[in-house]
Amino acid sequence: MNRVYNFSAGPSALPLEVLEKAQAELVCHGTSGMSVMEMSHRSAAYQAIIDECEASLRKLLAIPDNYKVLFLQGGASSQFAMVPLNLFNKSKKADCVLTGLWAKKFAKEAGRYGGVKIVGTSEDKTFSYIPKLNKADFRPDADFFHITYNNTIYGTKFAKLPDVGDVPLIADMSSSILSEPVDVSKFGIIYAGAQKNMGPAGLTVVIIREDLIGNAMDITPTMFNYETHSENGSMFNTPPTFAIYICSLVCKWLEDLGGLQAMKAINEEKAAILYNYLDSSEMFRATVENKEDRSLMNIPFVTDNDELNAKFIKEATAAGFVNLKGHRSVGGMRASIYNAMPVEGVKALVDFMKKFETENK
Ligand code: PMP
């Protein structure tokens, strides 16, 4: 069977080269005589794999030495509790920006443990833009400031980081990590579920500045304390071993491609192909109008007719462009074009959309 162009928001397409490498090594990895899935996480063979994964991530993202990289389970959603439990240790205040469903979920969960202030929201227009923020609204004594850097459902991204002064900036980067370089030193914590740009579901990567570790609230469960994982090299318990191995292969693939600057150029090219068409089409339009706020990874778009949307999704699926249905809160379509989506996939999608537009005028 032919592989399709998979526009899923996550879990998402992985680079074919990575899948083929994993396939070749599936039964027997290196000289170990066993599959990575069968290795003890405490074996030398596995330690080499997790060390390589961390080294690659550090290199790709230029992670400064005073940051730890943790390989955890529980999804990005567990970070919605883990961040406040570990960081509410002075004023128990957090400032949050609501740019979508995940940002709201974070704020709600953090609000269980401390005082959350919403310093900006775009909920009035279905989160279709990044709200303008006013520094005077930020609380200088907050324990942290949280943003969802790229909004998977609504297709927006922060073009500019909020000026939070000395307050640690915490970013959910689940749907944009490794898509372009970021200045890690601007953040207190970056966290991301792996299942979009890093590998399979089951792995959550946390990049955390060292001084934010070790002051968790007393009620923090041991497994939710960053210190537990930091002190044990992410081996307090069994980490998601196979997912970490695939993440390491994805990082290698990115290194071979030329790193994140090269990946960014490809991602910009892909996004431009789709946005340019959407901006010129008389049938389809992007739901995010402000160009500065547009995500490179998730591109929601609609026609003005629900029946036409459904027809498009049906015909696209039959033609091998799958998982294009938009989130129910936006409707229409969404093309998630993460790192693994090739330029040809986006070109082919746009060709298909042009044909559909002509046929359904
Ligand atoms: N944050 C963002 C930005 C997401 O896109 C998602 C998942 N789509 C989540 C959090 C939740 O991630 P998980 O399923 O790993 O808990």
Side-chain angles (χ1 to χ4, degrees):
M1 188 184 164
N2 287 335
R3 280 174 60 80
V4 292
Y5 286 124
N6 179 6
F7 294 91
S8 168
S12 331
L14 284 166
L16 184 58
E17 294 91 326
V18 166
L19 294 175
E20 285 173 343
K21 173 105 170 124
Q23 182 180 44
E25 297 180 337
L26 187 73
V27 174
C28 200
H29 183 271
T31 55
S32 69
M34 64 181 81
S35 171
V36 175
M37 275 185 273
E38 301 170 303
M39 284 179 189
S40 161
H41 58 297
R42 310 220 179 263
S43 63
Y46 190 74
Q47 190 63 48
I49 292 172
I50 194 170
D51 286 349
E52 203 175 310
C53 188
E54 177 171 346
S56 294
L57 281 171
R58 284 189 174 279
K59 194 167 153 208
L60 284 167
L61 283 161
I63 300 174
D65 288 344
N66 63 326
Y67 284 72
K68 293 272 193 222
V69 179
L70 308 178
F71 297 99
L72 309 180
Q73 305 196 31
S77 300
S78 291
Q79 294 307 307
F80 300 173
M82 216 160 158
V83 168
L85 283 167
N86 282 265
L87 266 54
F88 274 150
N89 48 32
K90 292 189 207 81
S91 65
K92 291 197 169 44
K93 293 179 190 168
D95 291 347
C96 292
V97 187
L98 298 192
T99 50
L101 187 79
W102 301 112
K104 267 179 91 172
K105 286 195 176 178
F106 179 94
K108 187 172 175 216
E109 188 69 15
R112 301 181 63 206
Y113 306 107
V116 166
K117 180 179 178 190
I118 307 304
V119 295
T121 174
S122 49
E123 194 163 16
D124 60 334
K125 289 187 182 159
T126 327
F127 300 114
S128 58
Y129 66 102
I130 296 288
K132 294 274 170 281
L133 302 176
N134 183 354
K135 198 176 174 193
D137 295 331
F138 304 176
R139 298 178 296 184
D141 65 336
D143 285 335
F144 64 90
F145 189 113
H146 181 271
I147 59 168
T148 310
Y149 191 69
N150 183 82
N151 295 281
T152 323
I153 296 173
Y154 307 95
T156 60
K157 191 190 91 167
F158 279 82
K160 208 169 124 267
L161 293 177
D163 178 7
V164 296
D166 290 334
V167 174
L169 180 61
I170 314 301
D172 178 349
M173 280 198 195
S174 294
S175 48
S176 64
I177 194 153
L178 300 180
S179 65
E180 59 181 344
V182 285
D183 182 352
V184 174
S185 72
K186 295 261 190 310
F187 299 89
I189 300 176
I190 293 171
Y191 64 88
Q195 65 271 22
K196 300 162 200 303
N197 255 346
M198 286 191 288
L203 166 65
T204 309
V205 171
V206 174
I207 301 165
I208 178 168
R209 215 174 61 209
E210 277 168 354
D211 62 287
L212 299 175
I213 302 173
N215 276 308
M217 294 172 80
D218 286 343
I219 58 161
T220 306
T222 305
M223 275 295 287
F224 267 44
N225 194 324
Y226 290 127
E227 192 172 26
T228 304
H229 302 286
S230 160
E231 288 201 332
N232 291 282
S234 301
M235 296 267 189
F236 174 74
N237 70 328
T238 317
T241 53
F242 194 75
I244 293 167
Y245 155 71
I246 299 289
C247 179
S248 172
L249 296 185
V250 168
C251 289
K252 253 258 84 5
W253 176 80
L254 280 166
E255 283 175 36
D256 291 346
L257 208 91
L260 298 192
Q261 203 62 53
M263 191 69 251
K264 181 185 183 190
I266 297 170
N267 285 330
E268 283 175 343
E269 182 188 351
K270 288 186 296 183
I273 293 168
L274 187 46
Y275 283 124
N276 287 344
Y277 168 63
L278 290 168
D279 290 344
S280 67
S281 166
E282 282 170 19
M283 176 179 282
F284 298 102
R285 67 181 165 83
T287 55
V288 178
E289 284 168 19
N290 188 352
K291 293 193 174 148
E292 201 191 58
D293 295 345
R294 285 176 170 176
S295 166
L296 290 181
M297 297 282 99
N298 311 98
I299 307 188
F301 57 95
V302 291
T303 73
D304 289 324
N305 177 330
D306 283 346
E307 273 170 35
L308 204 56
N309 290 341
K311 184 168 190 260
F312 174 77
I313 291 163
K314 191 162 171 243
E315 291 183 15
T317 306
F321 304 97
V322 309
N323 288 320
L324 279 167
K325 194 168 178 352
H327 189 269
R328 62 189 177 282
S329 60
V330 183
M333 286 67 70
R334 170 180 47 173
S336 293
I337 50 172
Y338 297 115
N339 289 351
M341 174 59 63
V343 176
E344 305 82 69
V346 182
K347 282 189 180 155
L349 173 66
V350 167
D351 287 345
F352 179 81
M353 290 169 76
K354 285 180 181 163
K355 189 166 147 278
F356 184 88
E357 182 168 355
T358 313
E359 287 170 1
N360 293 275
K361 260 195 187 131

